[in-house]
């Protein structure tokens, strides 16, 4: 998602995505898909056979059971082929997922001036300094060749979740009249599966400073529960990701924490992206999100409850990702494909628009610290599978630049 970081390179558009949807105006040429390396938008691709995996079986108490071994084999098979699956048994209640969707829907329903409360100039300045988009935006055209996505987007960063996680587990213990550290000692103690030193944190007298690395001034103040809901969801998703990274290590017979130390290290980042896809009269010619792979280690996606839109490229063919009640979609990002030396796949995916209904999704991306060097794990390199990728730092920047050009970032790192 480009923010306007160079006025001279940008091409101004006369009408916002929301205005086009409300007025029923056909999107201008900047949004129209041209034939490219990823093909055209098919009218009715088939439903993909996306595996459904019960990730509760990867918990400490169940991981050695026969059922867990079956799910582990399913996990490796899914990530080695399509690179994605539908996760059930994730422990997040359907009512809370609905609450998250509601918070996002209420935000995008706000008047334009309320959503765009923070000046564009401030966001541009932040982008230049941090090399990342944060806050509310829609894609801005930065070159004549670029095809725009028909979507409104809200980006937020959750870089420091350690203390918040400890605070939440203490609060949960207190609500059940348990000893203060009943959950924290078990889930984030010395032998916990986290590698971010999710041990046990002391009481914090300034919870308002727990997220001091994020630009809260670029976060929405309305809806009033938005920040609280996102904090809770991000905390739960981070725990899910860490359980999955552990399971992936086990499925490849790797030493513990080989993925975790790099991808969920002390300075790792969690980025949230809320997507709103308006109705589009030219759904056959306009993407909600262009074909791309994620620059993350792992992505967790909450789909719209009723409106499909996500499609994945499997064996050279686009397939629809069905909506499975109470499930969340997990797909790998390029940095995991690099670390697994190509065994696990980062799937090419896209979002198509709908002529009749609006759609919504919430994606959380795990990204290592930009200064962390990502490279193929040595144990996964041998004569039969030679090294496929170069070492890289700040891959997110490479992925961002390639996305705007319609290029595949991973191709730039192949040996």
């Amino acid at each position: 998602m480009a923010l306007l970081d160079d006025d001279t390179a940008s091409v101004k558009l006369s009408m916002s995505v929301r205005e086009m949807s409300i007025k029923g105006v056909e999107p201008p040429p900047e949004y129209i898909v041209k034939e490219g390396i990823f093909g055209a938008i098919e009218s009715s691709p088939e439903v993909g056979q996306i595996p459904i995996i019960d990730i509760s079986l990867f918990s400490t108490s169940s991981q050695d059971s026969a059922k867990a071994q079956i799910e582990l084999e399913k996990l490796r098979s899914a990530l080695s082929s399509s690179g994605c699956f539908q996760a059930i048994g994730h422990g997040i209640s359907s009512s809370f997922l609905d609450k998250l969707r509601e918070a996002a829907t209420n935000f995008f329903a706000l008047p334009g001036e309320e959503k765009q409360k923070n000046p564009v100039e401030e966001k541009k300045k932040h982008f230049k300094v941090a090399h990342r988009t944060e806050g509310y935006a829609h894609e801005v055209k930065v070159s004549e060749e670029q095809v725009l996505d028909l979507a409104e987007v809200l980006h937020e960063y959750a870089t420091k979740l350690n203390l918040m996680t400890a605070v939440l587990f203490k609060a949960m213990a207190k609500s059940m009249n348990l000893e203060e550290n009943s959950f924290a000692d078990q889930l984030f103690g010395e032998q916990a599966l986290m590698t971010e030193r999710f041990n046990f944190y002391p009481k914090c007298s300034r919870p308002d400073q727990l997220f001091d690395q994020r630009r809260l001034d670029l976060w929405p103040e309305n809806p009033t529960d938005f920040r609280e809901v996102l904090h809770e969801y991000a905390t739960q998703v981070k725990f899910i990701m860490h359980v999955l990274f552990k399971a992936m290590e086990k499925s490849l017979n790797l030493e513990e924490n080989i993925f975790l130390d790099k991808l969920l290290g002390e300075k790792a980042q969690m980025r949230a992206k809320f997507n709103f896809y308006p109705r589009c009269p030219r759904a056959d010619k306009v993407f909600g999100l262009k074909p791309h792979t994620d620059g993350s280690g792992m992505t967790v996606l909450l789909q719209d409850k009723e409106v499909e839109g996500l499609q994945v490229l499997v064996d050279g063919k686009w397939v629809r990702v069905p909506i499975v009640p109470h499930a969340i979609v997990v797909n790998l990002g390029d940095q995991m494909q690099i670390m697994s030396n190509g065994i696990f796949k980062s799937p090419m995916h896209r979002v198509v628009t709908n002529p009749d209904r609006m759609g919504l999704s919430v994606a959380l991306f795990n990204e290592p610290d930009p200064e962390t060097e990502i490279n193929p794990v040595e144990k996964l390199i041998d004569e039969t599978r030679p090294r496929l990728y170069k070492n890289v730092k700040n891959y997110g920047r490479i992925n961002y630049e390639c996305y705007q050009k319609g290029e595949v970032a991973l191709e730039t790192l192949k040996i």
Side-chain angles (χ1 to χ4, degrees):
M1 179 63 59
L3 269 181
L4 188 58
D5 62 330
D6 184 350
D7 290 335
T8 60
S10 68
V11 178
K12 302 289 186 182
L13 297 175
S14 60
M15 193 178 296
S16 71
V17 167
R18 171 71 66 158
E19 289 173 317
M20 282 187 279
S21 178
I22 291 174
K23 296 178 180 179
V25 175
E26 285 199 7
E30 288 83 1
Y31 291 91
I32 302 300
V33 175
K34 305 170 183 66
E35 277 294 335
I37 60 174
F38 306 120
I41 302 178
E42 295 86 351
S43 58
S44 56
E46 65 183 43
V47 176
Q49 301 300 310
I50 309 299
I52 298 175
I53 297 178
D54 183 357
I55 65 175
S56 68
L57 294 172
F58 301 146
S59 66
T60 305
S61 59
S62 305
Q63 60 182 343
D64 295 324
S65 67
K67 286 185 178 180
Q69 292 304 310
I70 293 173
E71 291 300 279
L72 197 65
E73 291 172 9
K74 284 173 59 179
L75 179 72
R76 173 166 178 164
S77 175
L79 299 182
S80 301
S81 52
S82 65
C84 64
F85 64 94
Q86 303 259 20
I88 60 173
H90 45 68
I92 306 177
S93 69
S94 57
S95 61
F96 181 79
L97 295 179
D98 288 342
K99 187 176 181 180
L100 178 65
R101 291 188 183 101
E102 182 181 14
T105 300
N106 290 342
F107 169 78
F108 285 116
L110 292 171
E113 58 272 17
E114 176 70 20
K115 287 182 291 190
Q116 194 62 272
K117 209 167 185 178
N118 303 109
V120 173
E121 288 301 319
E122 181 64 24
K123 293 177 184 177
K124 286 161 53 179
K125 183 167 65 176
H126 177 58
F127 180 86
K128 287 181 178 179
V129 172
H131 301 298
R132 71 190 194 201
T133 301
E134 197 154 355
Y136 171 74
H138 58 80
E139 191 173 25
V140 173
K141 194 171 179 69
V142 296
S143 72
E144 290 293 342
E145 298 77 21
Q146 180 185 345
V147 177
L148 295 178
D149 296 330
L150 193 73
E152 292 182 272
V153 177
L154 178 66
H155 294 265
E156 308 298 354
Y157 271 75
T159 56
K160 280 291 183 182
L161 286 172
N162 300 15
L163 289 175
M164 186 63 184
T165 303
V167 169
L168 285 174
F169 274 93
K170 286 187 178 184
M172 290 165 60
K174 184 176 181 180
S175 71
M176 300 175 69
N177 296 318
L178 299 175
E179 293 184 13
E180 183 180 49
N181 300 327
S182 295
F183 294 135
D185 283 347
Q186 290 292 320
L187 297 173
F188 294 95
E190 288 288 336
Q191 303 300 317
L193 300 180
M194 287 286 193
T195 59
E196 288 194 341
R197 305 198 70 80
F198 271 129
N199 298 347
F200 161 62
Y201 287 86
K203 293 181 179 179
C204 179
S205 60
R206 292 298 304 276
D208 58 310
Q209 294 184 354
L210 291 182
F211 297 88
D212 57 358
Q213 291 192 19
R214 294 184 291 183
R215 286 298 304 272
L216 294 180
D217 57 312
L218 299 181
W219 282 49
E221 296 179 359
N222 289 313
T224 55
D225 64 343
F226 185 90
R227 296 182 185 185
E228 179 185 350
V229 172
L230 177 55
H231 289 173
E232 183 176 346
Y233 182 62
T235 301
Q236 295 187 64
V237 167
K238 191 163 190 177
F239 183 73
I240 290 170
M241 286 181 172
H242 127 278
V243 168
L244 288 174
F245 279 134
K246 296 289 289 186
M248 290 160 61
E249 292 165 352
K250 187 174 182 179
S251 75
L252 294 175
N253 297 314
L254 297 175
E255 60 186 86
E256 287 191 358
N257 304 331
I258 196 74
F259 293 148
L260 279 169
D261 283 347
K262 289 284 184 82
L263 298 174
L264 275 175
E266 189 172 338
K267 295 182 180 180
Q269 300 171 343
M270 181 85 79
R271 177 167 62 90
K273 183 181 178 187
F274 294 75
N275 305 291
F276 172 76
Y277 305 106
R279 291 183 292 269
C280 179
R282 293 303 308 273
D284 62 323
K285 292 290 184 180
V286 177
F287 283 125
L289 199 59
K290 290 184 291 293
H292 66 288
T293 58
D294 291 340
S296 60
M298 181 184 296
T299 303
V300 170
L301 178 77
L302 177 65
Q303 294 200 86
D304 191 284
K305 202 171 182 179
E306 298 177 347
V307 182
E308 280 188 11
L310 179 63
Q311 298 181 357
V312 177
L313 191 64
V314 180
D315 296 327
K317 185 177 180 181
W318 289 105
V319 298
R320 289 156 38 213
V321 178
I323 295 172
V324 176
H326 316 309
I328 53 179
V329 178
V330 176
N331 71 263
L332 298 186
D334 291 352
Q335 299 198 59
M336 177 51 71
Q337 182 163 329
I338 292 170
M339 289 197 70
S340 69
N341 200 34
I343 295 175
F344 290 151
K345 309 303 180 187
S346 173
M348 181 72 64
H349 54 286
R350 66 187 188 184
V351 176
V352 297
T353 52
N354 189 299
D356 304 311
R357 306 184 69 180
M358 298 176 288
L360 178 82
S361 68
V362 182
L364 261 66
F365 307 86
N366 152 253
E367 300 174 348
D369 173 38
E371 292 304 309
T372 297
E373 187 170 70
I374 299 299
N375 56 275
V377 174
E378 289 297 327
K379 190 176 178 180
L380 301 178
I381 301 172
D382 55 33
E383 292 182 358
T384 60
R385 178 175 287 276
R387 184 189 180 104
L388 299 180
Y389 301 104
K390 306 171 188 174
N391 291 12
V392 63
K393 290 184 180 181
N394 199 7
Y395 179 79
R397 183 68 175 175
I398 298 172
N399 182 265
Y400 163 80
E401 292 172 350
C402 289
Y403 176 72
Q404 301 306 329
K405 300 174 186 176
E407 299 174 352
V408 180
L410 271 177
E411 294 296 319
T412 68
L413 295 180
K414 280 191 173 180
I415 295 176

